[in-house]
Amino acid sequence: MTRRLTQLLIGLFLYGIGIALIVRGGIGVAPWDVLTQGIDNHTHLGFGLITILISAVVLLLWIPIRQKPGAGTLLNAVLVGPSADVGLWLIPADLDLWARVVFFVAGLLTVAVATGLYIGAHFGPGPRDGLMTGLHKRTGWKIWIVRTGIEVIVLGIGWALGGNVGIGTVLFAVLIGPLCQRTLPFFAIKRPAGTVPAAADPALATTP
């Protein structure tokens, strides 16, 4: 349990840092972060707080699809946003293009490692992953169809609100799946009895 909890917390912290690196890269962010940036452009509530608020709204969407949160789900909702704020505070902005590209690549790799860490601890999926797996379970649609549909909607809303869409957005969409497929089995801890059932575990849902 100590190892699982430590891995979960490290993974969630690194996830926020990875998001911050990608944001500071300035060449396009992940679809959900496009939405966060778009909302921030109009509300000025701050990236971290908006991330938490979006997680809360997504968790409300779990209710009609009867998806049950785990401890990792709730910790994900409240910790990733503040971790991203820490990263945005530490990482400088408006650097030369080569440095921003390095930030983007570092952020992409960090998010992949962080995903493997937090999902591999088996404390439950994050709000966004849980929405994906819950809809997959309820509708019977393939995971890639559900994920693509969600992210296209989120991306469209975020873009309309002024979020940063660019080549980095495309690269994230194309590369994050294969990268996570490497990190998920590497960091996966043997599933303890009584943890999240396999059908709800995005670690399994992201594999072919």
Side-chain angles (χ1 to χ4, degrees):
M1 176 63 74
T2 300
R3 178 190 168 188
R4 290 173 58 220
L5 184 59
T6 301
Q7 180 169 316
L8 171 69
L9 294 175
I10 291 173
L12 294 178
F13 177 74
L14 288 178
Y15 201 104
I17 298 299
I19 290 174
L21 284 164
I22 292 173
V23 170
R24 287 295 188 238
I27 61 171
V29 298
W32 283 100
D33 298 326
V34 173
L35 177 60
T36 301
Q37 286 183 328
I39 295 173
D40 189 37
N41 286 342
H42 294 271
T43 64
H44 307 293
L45 293 174
F47 193 94
L49 178 57
I50 293 172
T51 298
I52 293 173
L53 293 176
I54 290 175
S55 294
V57 171
V58 172
L59 285 175
L60 291 177
L61 297 177
W62 282 32
I63 297 173
I65 60 175
R66 302 176 190 175
Q67 181 81 335
K68 295 181 179 180
T73 307
L74 302 179
L75 287 172
N76 183 301
V78 299
L79 293 182
V80 170
S83 298
D85 275 347
V86 170
L88 292 171
W89 177 66
L90 291 173
I91 303 165
D94 301 322
L95 297 179
D96 292 338
L97 179 59
W98 70 267
R100 291 190 285 116
V101 170
V102 170
F103 279 167
F104 176 84
V105 173
L108 182 64
L109 294 175
T110 300
V111 167
V113 170
T115 300
L117 284 168
Y118 104 78
I119 291 179
H122 300 299
F123 277 104
R128 295 153 186 78
D129 288 328
L131 178 63
M132 174 187 68
T133 54
L135 285 171
H136 161 68
K137 183 179 178 182
R138 290 298 164 189
T139 64
W141 298 340
K142 293 181 179 179
I143 280 289
W144 73 267
I145 294 176
V146 175
R147 177 162 186 161
T148 301
I150 292 172
E151 297 205 348
V152 166
I153 293 171
V154 167
L155 178 62
I157 296 172
W159 192 7
L161 292 173
N164 182 11
V165 178
I167 185 62
T169 308
V170 177
L171 290 173
F172 186 95
V174 170
L175 296 176
I176 193 62
L179 287 171
C180 287
Q181 192 162 322
R182 296 277 186 175
T183 61
L184 286 166
F186 185 81
F187 291 108
I189 297 173
K190 184 178 180 180
R191 185 185 304 278
T195 56
V196 180
D201 194 338
L204 300 180
T206 52
T207 57

